[in-house]
Amino acid sequence: MNALRILRLGAVKDVARFQEHVHSLGLTIPCDREIVHGAESPLRKPLASGEIKIGNRIAVHPMEGWDGTADGNPTEHTLRRWKRFGASGGKLIWGGEAVAVSHEGRANPNQLVIAKHTLEGLAGLRRILIEEHRRTTGSDEGLLIGLQLTHSGRFCRPNAHGKPEPRILYHHPILDRKLELRNDFPILTDGEIEKIIEDFHRAAKMAGELAFDFVDVKHCHGYLGHEFLSAHTREGKYGGSFENRTRFLRDVAQGIRSVAPGMHIGVRFSAFDSVPFRPDPSQSANGKLGPGIPESQENLIPYRWGFGVNQNDPTKIDLCEPIQFLSLLEELNIRLVNITAGSPYYNPHIQRPAMFPPSDGYFPPEDPLVGVAQQLNVTRQLKARFPNLIFVGSSYTYLQDFLPHVAQAAVREGWTDCVGLGRMVLTYPEILWDATEGNEMQHKRVCRTFSDCTTAPRKGLPSGCYPLDAYYKSSEMAERLKVAKAKQ
């Protein structure tokens, strides 16, 4: 069991006590004691940059449900989730969810795919989101909706049998072992990469035809775009130098501008990473996971398999290349930037701080507020350096009841332009809209980071808030999840 004592935020009843706790941890997290309502709220202020106009500072992150059909179309579960995206009141819908540019690039057998046979379904998702947004806010003015385009690379799992079918750019000494890849497992050829780039071009063209305002070329969480950034050991034109490791993005962006003129481009990227973690075996017993510890880095220094990490100590951040990456985005006239970190597959406490681990994770090795502060502060540093880019910040859900107080302060103090909501949208999408309307907080709907939204898809079930959302809690799927967790 985890010996680390962590104060549960659900037991903290007022903002002053929250601030005291943050201070006791030696952290810096902005927090306003009073919430401003209506048009005067920092979270309700419009944002404009050239042709990009966003009606408020509330954003919705890409939230996959692992609940599409075998051919990549949405289902009723998917429609319900997109409806809740609209109910959030957020004027920036970042990607809706990760949509694969090809069947082979899917992260799971139920991921959405953008193709001719799914266009009607994707159009329906956009339509229902806009309808619900109008009901919540009264108008769709200033609403900017994107579609996140992805190829899952190392974490492809596209077919019904559910077995991994990795598409890797290079051999990773730790992740290859985790995925049980042999030393001669094939890496993607330059020709195969060029075909994937064409898939992104085709996907962006279709997204434009569906009237999406922008596409996100996903570069985060260990998927293909992110792996390009860490391909230091790859030979050829897509590896080695920074120029080569960003060629994929440049080629994708150039093609999008050609086939879908007027389409805005965004990039969600892991601004920093870390060496993979694993449960501490000395503290794992009786089926209980221990706290996370870094994988051994013996003989792996300098560490050449990460992006935004210190090569001499890959548990620490180095923002030199992320800053260079943002400079490239400016050169490419890509102004929409969504900051995240790490990967849910190998260091989830960095990517999505939580009190409770998913089935394939580990107990937090630190108070999750440390991870929250880390992401907020990195976003602050990058925003200060690139004031002309539009930044969306991540890692707010763990703040729970204090999310509105921190979100308001972060925007008011210029730490970020927009506050992105992820897991919180699954149970309480209106949390920031309620706060800025002056409505009473619905405490029983606040996400407590139980991580069932991740454990469920790890067990082959749709993602959703099984503990708090009655739609999932009372479903047949919840019973199957309960059985699966009992067998763990």
Side-chain angles (χ1 to χ4, degrees):
M1 290 294 290
N2 188 3
L4 179 67
R5 294 181 65 85
I6 298 173
L7 177 65
R8 294 193 181 194
L9 290 190
V12 180
K13 301 305 180 185
D14 59 73
V15 178
R17 178 69 185 95
F18 170 76
Q19 290 175 312
E20 289 173 6
H21 179 52
V22 170
H23 181 72
S24 74
L25 295 171
L27 303 176
T28 301
I29 294 177
C31 182
D32 287 344
R33 294 207 176 194
E34 301 295 331
I35 297 295
V36 181
H37 303 148
E40 297 305 309
S41 167
L43 294 168
R44 291 289 187 95
K45 299 292 184 184
L47 177 64
S49 176
E51 296 176 356
I52 299 174
K53 294 177 174 58
I54 304 169
N56 63 33
R57 306 307 182 94
I58 304 170
V60 174
H61 288 315
M63 291 299 296
E64 287 177 71
W66 291 270
D67 52 19
T69 63
D71 70 351
N73 268 292
T75 64
E76 288 301 315
H77 301 313
T78 323
L79 285 164
R80 180 180 185 269
R81 187 171 55 262
W82 280 61
K83 187 175 181 180
R84 291 163 78 81
F85 296 165
S88 70
K91 291 288 187 180
L92 176 56
I93 309 299
W94 190 285
E97 61 187 279
V99 177
V101 298
S102 66
H103 172 77
E104 295 76 16
R106 297 167 92 182
N108 65 83
N110 298 103
Q111 186 173 40
L112 299 187
V113 176
I114 184 164
K116 287 183 179 180
H117 69 276
T118 67
L119 295 185
E120 184 178 348
L122 293 174
L125 293 176
R126 180 181 174 275
R127 183 169 55 249
I128 200 168
L129 185 156
I130 293 173
E131 291 172 357
E132 194 65 22
H133 180 82
R134 288 172 179 157
R135 274 192 281 270
T136 298
T137 68
S139 169
D140 61 9
E141 184 178 356
L143 177 62
L144 197 75
I145 305 174
L147 196 67
Q148 185 179 70
L149 304 181
T150 186
H151 186 291
S152 298
R154 184 174 293 270
F155 299 104
C156 288
R157 196 184 291 257
N159 292 307
H161 56 63
K163 295 178 181 177
E165 299 180 39
R167 308 279 281 168
I168 65 174
L169 295 174
Y170 59 84
H171 284 284
H172 191 299
I174 299 173
L175 295 181
D176 280 14
R177 187 169 66 247
K178 280 180 173 286
L179 291 173
E180 299 181 349
L181 304 184
R182 63 186 189 274
N183 292 337
D184 61 349
F185 189 88
I187 63 172
L188 285 166
T189 66
D190 287 358
E192 288 171 322
I193 291 169
E194 288 162 2
K195 170 63 170 59
I196 291 170
I197 290 170
E198 291 174 1
D199 290 338
F200 273 85
H201 297 162
R202 184 180 64 255
K205 185 175 188 296
M206 288 188 283
E209 292 168 352
L210 292 173
F212 283 94
D213 300 299
F214 71 96
V215 291
D216 168 21
V217 183
K218 186 174 185 177
H219 275 67
C220 60
H221 302 165
Y223 297 112
L224 187 68
H226 188 199
E227 186 152 295
F228 272 108
L229 299 181
S230 61
H232 301 273
T233 61
R234 181 185 172 92
E235 297 180 353
K237 66 179 183 179
Y238 291 106
S241 68
F242 179 82
E243 180 182 4
N244 285 352
R245 287 181 283 119
T246 55
R247 189 183 306 277
F248 171 78
L249 173 63
R250 287 185 279 112
D251 288 353
V252 168
Q254 181 181 17
I256 290 174
R257 296 263 160 75
S258 174
V259 302
M263 169 69 77
H264 296 298
I265 301 173
V267 173
R268 190 174 200 211
F269 83 107
S270 290
F272 61 93
D273 206 347
S274 169
V275 69
F277 273 58
R278 63 188 174 97
D280 184 347
S282 70
Q283 297 190 57
S284 301
N286 301 320
K288 300 294 184 181
L289 298 169
I293 58 172
E295 292 277 7
S296 172
Q297 300 133 54
E298 186 178 357
N299 301 321
L300 298 180
I301 303 298
Y303 190 77
R304 303 179 64 213
W305 303 274
F307 177 76
V309 301
N310 184 325
Q311 290 196 357
N312 294 317
D313 182 354
T315 64
K316 291 185 168 58
I317 298 172
D318 183 338
L319 291 180
C320 289
E321 284 206 332
I323 288 169
Q324 195 175 355
F325 185 72
L326 288 170
S327 294
L328 174 62
L329 296 188
E330 279 196 322
E331 292 173 16
L332 296 173
N333 194 29
I334 295 174
R335 284 173 287 168
L336 292 164
V337 182
N338 190 316
I339 300 296
T340 181
S343 167
Y345 295 101
Y346 56 79
N347 48 28
H349 75 284
I350 290 171
Q351 184 256 334
R352 48 165 189 233
M355 186 72 171
F356 304 96
S359 60
D360 61 341
Y362 44 78
F363 271 93
E366 59 195 12
D367 190 303
L369 284 173
V370 174
V372 174
Q374 191 173 47
Q375 287 206 45
L376 267 59
N377 278 276
V378 164
T379 304
R380 177 192 192 185
Q381 293 177 57
L382 297 176
K383 174 61 188 174
R385 190 128 182 178
F386 296 92
N388 295 323
L389 297 180
I390 297 173
F391 280 80
V392 179
S394 302
S395 196
Y396 285 84
T397 288
Y398 183 74
L399 296 162
Q400 300 171 48
D401 303 82
F402 306 103
L403 191 160
H405 299 268
V406 174
Q408 176 181 289
V411 171
R412 180 181 57 78
E413 296 181 19
W415 286 43
T416 187
D417 294 302
C418 299
V419 169
L421 300 178
R423 294 164 290 171
M424 188 66 75
V425 175
L426 299 179
T427 177
Y428 192 2
E430 318 94 311
I431 185 170
L432 289 179
W433 190 259
D434 274 356
T436 55
E437 283 285 284
N439 298 332
E440 184 177 353
M441 170 82 75
Q442 300 178 50
H443 297 284
K444 291 185 178 180
R445 296 179 65 197
V446 173
C447 173
R448 303 299 176 188
T449 66
F450 293 120
S451 293
D452 275 2
C453 56
T454 299
T455 294
R458 297 292 190 261
K459 304 298 183 184
L461 295 165
S463 179
C465 186
Y466 288 83
L468 301 179
D469 185 350
Y471 180 85
Y472 293 94
K473 187 175 183 178
S474 59
S475 70
E476 172 268 339
M477 297 178 293
E479 288 301 313
R480 290 166 57 195
L481 177 60
K482 184 178 179 181
V483 170
K485 290 171 69 175
K487 291 179 179 178
Q488 186 175 310

